[in-house]
Amino acid sequence: MATILHSWIGFTAFCQTRNSSIRLLVNCLLVQSEPMKMIILDLFYDLLNLDIPPVCDSYEAALKSIYPIWNLTTVEEGYTFVAYEGAAKLPRLSSTRPNLLDSHMALMLLTLIDAGFIEAISELASNDNSILSIRATLLLANFIWLVCYTKHYSGSRSFLEVKKFIN
């Protein structure tokens, strides 16, 4: 399923009939089976090109395993921040052409928002199972970061502004 959704053709096929297939996939996060929820969460991590966190029951352990910057000292953090800041200010190599990968990600994020992904993942983040809750919280944080990243780096208009323009 992840391979199909990573392609333009597969993604458009899933989005036919008013995103009903995507909505069904998002609603699978609300089923009672916890193993099913873990599988669907891993699928969304894969779809959004995010590292899947290991199974752990504390936020600190999950963050340290995913983000190597979490383990850096203050001096190393400063160097890393400066490098990221410099890379963000440099012009893109293909500034005259749209990046199709950014466009695909923007469309996927917009479709997931319309399918109720934020509500479903928020519900899952407040789950009693700490492992599911930690994974859902990290996915929600990364999802929000991707929305902001796509807004700032995909050009002059964000995909959310384009949606307002269409509606």
Side-chain angles (χ1 to χ4, degrees):
M1 189 177 299
T3 305
I4 293 170
L5 289 172
H6 275 296
S7 71
W8 277 97
I9 294 171
F11 188 73
T12 54
F14 258 71
C15 290
Q16 289 178 352
T17 65
R18 298 185 155 219
N19 301 337
S20 63
S21 300
I22 298 290
R23 286 182 206 277
L24 181 64
L25 188 61
V26 168
N27 287 336
C28 284
L29 289 171
L30 303 175
V31 298
Q32 295 298 321
S33 170
E34 291 191 5
M36 175 68 104
K37 291 177 185 179
M38 291 290 274
I39 292 169
I40 300 295
L41 274 177
D42 290 348
L43 175 69
F44 281 120
Y45 271 103
D46 186 32
L47 285 178
L48 299 173
N49 297 324
L50 300 170
D51 293 330
I52 298 173
V55 176
C56 52
D57 58 353
S58 75
Y59 284 104
E60 187 173 349
L63 288 171
K64 282 184 180 180
S65 66
I66 293 178
Y67 304 112
I69 193 168
W70 192 268
N71 298 322
L72 297 178
T73 64
T74 308
V75 174
E76 291 170 332
E77 259 181 53
Y79 291 136
T80 306
F81 177 74
V82 170
Y84 282 133
E85 187 178 47
K89 292 185 186 237
L90 291 174
R92 297 176 82 165
L93 294 176
S94 62
S95 60
T96 58
R97 292 181 279 170
N99 186 342
L100 290 179
L101 293 177
D102 285 347
S103 300
H104 184 267
M105 181 60 74
L107 182 62
M108 186 178 298
L109 293 171
L110 179 62
T111 304
L112 287 174
I113 289 172
D114 283 343
F117 179 77
I118 294 176
E119 293 83 4
I121 204 74
S122 299
E123 178 82 22
L124 195 56
S126 62
N127 194 342
D128 292 335
N129 185 340
S130 65
I131 295 171
L132 274 174
S133 175
I134 289 170
R135 283 185 149 199
T137 303
L138 291 175
L139 181 59
L140 181 60
N142 282 312
F143 185 82
I144 291 170
W145 182 85
L146 281 171
V147 169
C148 294
Y149 173 82
T150 306
K151 176 180 178 181
H152 293 296
Y153 295 108
S154 65
S156 60
R157 287 185 171 238
S158 74
F159 67 93
L160 294 175
E161 291 171 353
V162 172
K163 180 184 175 198
K164 289 178 190 175
F165 180 73
I166 293 172
N167 292 335

